[in-house]
Amino acid sequence: MTADILRKLYNSYSQYYTLKTENVTPPFSAEAEFRSHTEQYVLVKAAKIADIDSNEFVYFYSSAELSSQKINELAQLAWKKGLERVKAGPGHRNTDITLILIAENADKEIKAKIKKLNFYKSYKFGFWGWSSFRLCIYEASSQKSYVNRYGKDLRKMFVKINKQIISQEENIK
């Protein structure tokens, strides 16, 4: 079941992100990277108003069981590795660091603690942008996802993946 979920997840991310499944930071199974650069100008490109860079780094991990200690370790590692890749400067708007965890079963404690697991950093009082941490845990046995404050939009993705898997199972029958 988790292999199907990971495959669907990788397919959805590979459409807009650069997905890497080899030579990734251990213990993660894959990493995805998204970079966006926008320029704003008036009438001609020489009259540039702003350069805007927005980035996201996503780390994937799957396991049969997840404990709160393991989630804390993975969150700290993803945050640290993501911050190492930030290039804050005058044109930097934001860099989001996302951790997606997939497990057959998760501890009951996790569901309460995940909402409080937040990291945030601003650069030069926000003038050089900021970084925020998004976290989503998907429990395959209950088909539920749990997210932190910044990860609310990740829940929608897992609703779509669940619908795809259920429709595939119905087609097989």
Side-chain angles (χ1 to χ4, degrees), residues 4-48:
D4 288 339
I5 294 165
L6 272 176
R7 189 171 32 81
K8 297 269 184 202
L9 196 59
Y10 292 166
N11 284 341
S12 68
Y13 269 93
S14 64
Q15 292 176 14
Y16 299 102
Y17 291 67
T18 304
L19 184 71
K20 186 169 76 166
T21 56
E22 296 176 4
N23 300 322
V24 297
T25 306
F28 301 116
S29 59
E31 294 177 11
E33 179 179 324
F34 176 80
R35 294 185 184 270
S36 172
H37 178 78
T38 306
E39 294 179 351
Q40 294 179 346
Y41 53 89
V42 178
L43 297 177
V44 293
K45 288 188 178 182
K48 193 181 297 185

Side-chain angles (χ1 to χ4, degrees), residues 44-69:
V44 293
K45 288 188 178 182
K48 193 181 297 185
I49 297 171
D51 281 330
I52 303 168
D53 291 317
S54 185
N55 309 302
E56 183 178 5
F57 303 114
V58 184
Y59 297 92
F60 301 92
Y61 180 83
S62 68
S63 176
E65 296 285 329
L66 274 178
S67 66
S68 60
Q69 179 184 356

Side-chain angles (χ1 to χ4, degrees), residues 59-94:
Y59 297 92
F60 301 92
Y61 180 83
S62 68
S63 176
E65 296 285 329
L66 274 178
S67 66
S68 60
Q69 179 184 356
K70 185 66 174 176
I71 290 172
N72 284 332
E73 289 173 14
L74 292 169
Q76 292 286 341
L77 181 62
W79 180 247
K80 179 184 170 215
K81 292 297 179 183
L83 286 182
E84 289 174 359
R85 299 167 76 178
V86 173
K87 294 181 176 108
H92 177 255
R93 180 179 167 263
N94 71 304

Side-chain angles (χ1 to χ4, degrees), residues 126-155:
F127 290 110
W128 283 10
W130 64 88
S131 292
S132 59
F133 181 72
R134 300 172 355 142
L135 174 64
C136 180
I137 298 173
Y138 180 78
E139 187 177 38
S141 62
S142 65
Q143 295 184 343
K144 290 187 177 181
S145 57
Y146 305 95
V147 297
N148 71 346
R149 184 176 134 197
Y150 296 112
K152 291 178 184 172
D153 58 330
L154 296 172
R155 186 174 279 143

Side-chain angles (χ1 to χ4, degrees), residues 92-107:
H92 177 255
R93 180 179 167 263
N94 71 304
T95 298
D96 293 329
I97 299 161
T98 304
L99 176 60
I100 297 177
L101 306 172
I102 299 171
E104 280 297 322
N105 297 305
D107 285 352

